[in-house]
Amino acid sequence: MTNHLRDAFFALHDRLPRQSPGSDATTRRLLALAGPQPVRPRVLDLGCGPGRASLLLAAEAGAEVTAVDLHQPFLDELREAAEARGLGDRIRTVRADMGDLTGPAFADGSFDLVWAEGSAYCIGFDTALRDWQRLLAPGGSMVVTECVWTTGSPSAGARAFWEQHVSLRTVAANAAAAVAAGCHLLGVLVQPGSDWDEYYVPLAERAAAADPSAPGMEAALAATREELAARRAYGTEYGYAGYVLRPSDPRWRTRPEAPADREAVHGVVSAAFPTRAEAALVDALRGDPDAWLPGLSYVAEAPDGSVAAHALLTRCRVGDAPALALAPVATAPGHQRAGAGRAVVRAALDAARLLGESLVLVLGHPGYYPAFGFVPASRFGIRPGFDVPDEAMMALVLDASVPVPAGTIRYPAAFGV
C-alpha cells in the first residue's frame, strides 16, 4: 500500500465511531462471558482504534486500560475522549505494534484481560492466540473478535471478495484453533447484524462526502465501495464472532478417555465419592448406546501420567430436544483442590462445543459450577423431574444460535430418576 493510499484510508476512517463491526452491547456481552474480574482489572486493548471498548471497560468495569494502536491520531482521539469523560487516569495510550509487544509495558503476566475487537486479523488469529497468552496473569482471559463464515458453503462471489484480503474460517474452525492453541472457550458470540451497521453506516456517509481528487482517495473509495457492496450482496454468508478464552492450566494434560483408562477411571470415581454408586453409574452409562457419546469422557493426567480427574458428558433430553448431562465429575483425593477437576471439566466442555453440542445440564454445587458459566436451569424454563434446590440444577448454553429448549429433563435410565 502506497503512502497516499494509506493516508486516504485513514482520512476516510478518521473520527468514525468504530473501525470494525461492533457495539457497546456486544462489548458488554463479551465482558460478561469473560466472568468475574478483579476490582480494578488490568486490561490491554490491542488495536484499540478510537477506543470505544477502552472507554466502556474503564467506565463500567473500573479497568485500568492500556490502549495500543499504531495510528497516533486514533490514540489522540481516545485520549481526548477519556479526558472529557473523566477517565484520563484509567486509560493509558501506547503507540506500538500488536505483533511486536516488547518492553516492560508488556511483560509476561501483566494483564487480567487482553482485548482485541476487530484487530487480530492484522497478525492472524492463530498468531494472536499463541503470542498473547503470555501477557495474562493467572486466571486471566482474552477476548478476540474475528470475521468468520456463517455458512458452511459460501458462494463463489463471497469467496472471491474475501480471498483478496484474508482467509476466513467458520466459527467452529476458529473455536477448534483456539483449543489447539491451548485455550479454553469461556464463550463464543456471533455478533448481530446491527453491529455491522454501526461500522458501515458512518463509513458509507463519509465515503459519499469524500473528495475523490485527494491523493490516493480514488483508490481508497473504490475499495470501500467494493467492501460495502460485498456486504449488501453476501452479508448473510459472513459475520463477526467474539471468542472469550482462558489459557488451559499447564499443570494438567487433558484428553479423551482411552480403553486402557477404564480401570483407573473407576478407581478415581470410587475414591472421590462416599460410595461406589457414581462409579457404577459410569459403567452403566458406558453400556447404554443412547447415552454414551464417544469422545466426551475426559480425563486429566497427573505429572506421572496417572489419571487424576474424570468428567463425563452423556446424552440427556429436555423434552424431546437433545442436551448433555455433566455427571459425574471426580478428582482423586490426592489431587483435589489443585485444579485437576476444573481442568477436566473445561476440556470436556470444549470437546462438546467442538462437536456441535449446544446445551449442558448439571446437578451440582452452586458455588462451583457457575465458574464455568452455568446458571440456574430454571432461567430457561428447564426443570428436573424430581425435587432439588433451584440453584443446584444448572444449565450452560454452548451455542447461543440454537434456541434453548424448555421442559423437563429426561436422564438416561442409568441415573434412576
Side-chain angles (χ1 to χ4, degrees), residues 143-409:
V143 173
V144 179
T145 72
E146 180 81 345
C147 196
V148 294
W149 293 121
T150 53
T151 175
S153 53
S155 64
R159 286 190 178 278
F161 170 74
W162 279 106
E163 284 170 1
Q164 304 173 71
H165 307 286
V166 66
S167 178
L168 298 192
R169 295 190 296 213
T170 63
V171 176
N174 276 342
V179 172
C183 292
H184 165 60
L185 289 154
L186 297 177
V188 178
L189 173 66
V190 177
Q191 298 174 220
S194 56
D195 279 10
W196 289 82
D197 294 338
E198 294 217 15
Y199 171 47
Y200 276 149
V201 169
L203 178 59
E205 292 172 351
R206 178 68 56 79
D211 178 4
S213 66
M217 186 58 73
E218 185 174 359
L221 285 171
T224 299
R225 288 167 181 150
E226 182 186 17
E227 184 178 349
L228 294 169
R231 182 63 189 173
R232 287 191 296 271
Y234 311 116
T236 59
E237 300 180 45
Y238 62 89
Y240 253 83
Y243 298 83
V244 185
L245 311 166
R246 179 170 294 155
S248 302
D249 189 333
R251 299 173 297 172
W252 307 102
R253 177 176 176 256
T254 57
R255 57 174 176 79
E257 171 197 295
D261 298 318
R262 290 185 180 183
E263 185 176 343
V265 167
H266 187 95
V268 167
V269 179
S270 296
F273 292 95
T275 73
R276 294 182 178 273
E278 283 77 11
L281 171 62
V282 174
D283 293 338
L285 288 167
R286 273 203 193 93
D288 183 350
D290 292 328
W292 189 261
L293 298 169
L296 292 183
S297 177
Y298 254 72
V299 298
E301 288 184 357
D304 64 1
S306 63
V307 174
H310 173 254
L312 178 62
L313 291 162
T314 52
R315 174 67 68 216
C316 69
R317 295 190 176 274
V318 177
D320 293 326
L324 296 177
L326 173 59
V329 174
T331 304
H335 297 294
Q336 290 177 0
R337 302 185 184 279
R342 291 189 295 274
V344 76
V345 168
R346 286 174 175 145
L349 294 175
D350 285 339
R353 194 189 300 270
L354 297 183
L355 287 172
E357 298 289 341
S358 61
L359 179 66
V360 181
L361 303 166
V362 66
L363 175 60
H365 198 293
Y368 182 74
Y369 287 100
F372 303 99
F374 284 93
V375 299
S378 59
R379 294 187 187 179
F380 304 105
I382 299 171
R383 298 190 181 279
F386 48 90
D387 289 335
V388 295
D390 183 71
E391 65 273 14
M393 189 73 250
M394 291 169 275
L396 172 65
V397 176
L398 296 177
D399 185 350
S401 69
V402 177
V404 181
T408 301
I409 305 168

Side-chain angles (χ1 to χ4, degrees), residues 11-101:
L12 273 178
H13 287 256
D14 183 51
R15 299 283 169 173
L16 292 182
R18 293 189 176 275
Q19 300 303 319
S20 65
S23 64
D24 289 350
T26 290
T27 298
R28 292 186 183 102
R29 290 181 68 187
L30 292 170
L31 179 61
L33 288 172
Q37 298 295 316
V39 174
R40 199 176 176 97
R42 299 162 298 166
V43 176
L44 177 63
D45 187 1
L46 292 169
C48 63
R52 286 291 292 268
S54 291
L55 294 165
L56 187 149
L57 293 166
E60 299 187 15
E64 295 179 353
V65 181
T66 300
V68 174
D69 206 282
L70 267 175
H71 188 50
Q72 187 61 46
F74 286 157
L75 298 175
D76 294 341
E77 183 180 345
L78 172 55
R79 171 54 50 196
E80 292 170 15
E83 295 292 346
R85 300 185 190 193
L87 298 171
D89 63 332
R90 294 283 184 92
I91 297 177
R92 176 175 64 139
T93 58
V94 179
R95 187 172 184 269
D97 183 346
M98 72 174 75
D100 185 24
L101 299 172

